[in-house]
Amino acid sequence: MFSKVHGRAIRATVLVGVLGALVLVGAGYLWELRGMAANRADGDAARGVYQQDPERADRTAGAVLDGIAREDPNPPADGKAFADGVASADWRSAGWQPSDPLEARPAPAEPAVGALFSPGTDGDPDHHCSAGVVHSPQGDLIVTAAHCVYTGGFRTNLAFAPGYRDGVAPYGIWVPTRIDVDPRWTEDQDPDHDVAFIRLRRPGYPGQRLEDVTGAATIAFRTELPVPARLVGYPNDSEEPLDCRNTARAAGPAQLRFDCADVPNGTSGGPVLTDGHTLIGVIGGRDGGGDEETSYSSYFGDAVRALYERATAS
């Protein structure tokens, strides 16, 4: 047992060490906050719209390609056909079954599903969310969770890599031109409106349309539940996607529920698909997307339909 003198000395040393650690942690936290602020913009929060600055977007694409991911020098020429083929093959067979056990497992990369990157000092891993290509008149649209693109402001450092796997972006790096979320999300992060649509372009490839390269899911609204479904997403600590099959069920009037274990952080925004190619939700909504056993999505009803129509109006 230490004497009081020694005790005072030890406590003083510990106190100095703790204060020093707090100073270091505080400095790091302040630096992180500064980085987060630098990568946020107000946009038109009242409407839930952000028009991305092209130069800033180009810098983001450059940051992803500067050591985080690389484009395939021999990109697949049949990405759209491959995506359509996978979608059809998954559901044509009469023997569709839920995953057994009900746990998400690594899966092949798909052209129309990808990782959402946010390079820079924002405190997130390189790819922090997932997204899926959805059919639109302009062929340039992805859908993800609103919390992936708006937290205290619109993220200005977003980039999408469809079909991403093991550090390779086989279909290129795409950056936003416009982000649309429901104003009820920007106002108070209402989990019933945790959906975002992002229009994209590929720097250096003027006129190229995302959907022509990757294919796209068809979006559906007011889907009758329950229905067999599959979720897909990229864990933020993995360089490959995972998926899981089960029945999507209603969780109240404004949420979709999907029971499957081991769907971790980073999968937010990943698509929930039925009949192989019809998108009925994205991982998000209640509890930020769920817990260790269950994932959620905001239900794709009339509000999401209106958001989609606004995002594709021009």
Side-chain angles (χ1 to χ4, degrees), residues 149-175:
V149 304
Y150 186 96
T151 50
F154 287 95
R155 286 182 182 261
T156 63
N157 60 331
L158 293 173
F160 178 64
Y164 178 77
R165 188 183 181 96
D166 296 331
V168 178
Y171 306 100
I173 299 297
W174 300 73
V175 295

Side-chain angles (χ1 to χ4, degrees), residues 68-152:
I68 298 176
R70 62 180 177 85
E71 294 182 326
D72 191 337
N74 299 299
D78 59 347
K80 183 178 186 301
F82 176 75
D84 293 343
V86 168
S88 298
D90 277 350
W91 296 82
R92 268 204 299 260
S93 63
W96 184 91
Q97 294 291 331
S99 298
D100 185 16
L102 276 176
E103 300 172 355
R105 289 290 181 261
E110 303 173 33
V113 180
L116 199 60
F117 288 78
S118 59
T121 56
D122 60 6
D124 284 324
D126 289 333
H127 56 85
H128 72 287
C129 274
S130 306
V133 185
V134 62
H135 175 66
S136 68
Q138 298 83 9
D140 62 355
L141 195 68
I142 63 172
V143 62
T144 187
H147 74 256
C148 293
V149 304
Y150 186 96
T151 50

Side-chain angles (χ1 to χ4, degrees), residues 52-66:
Q52 174 69 299
D53 174 70
E55 292 185 2
R56 179 174 285 182
D58 288 350
R59 289 196 299 270
T60 297
V64 172
L65 292 170
D66 187 19

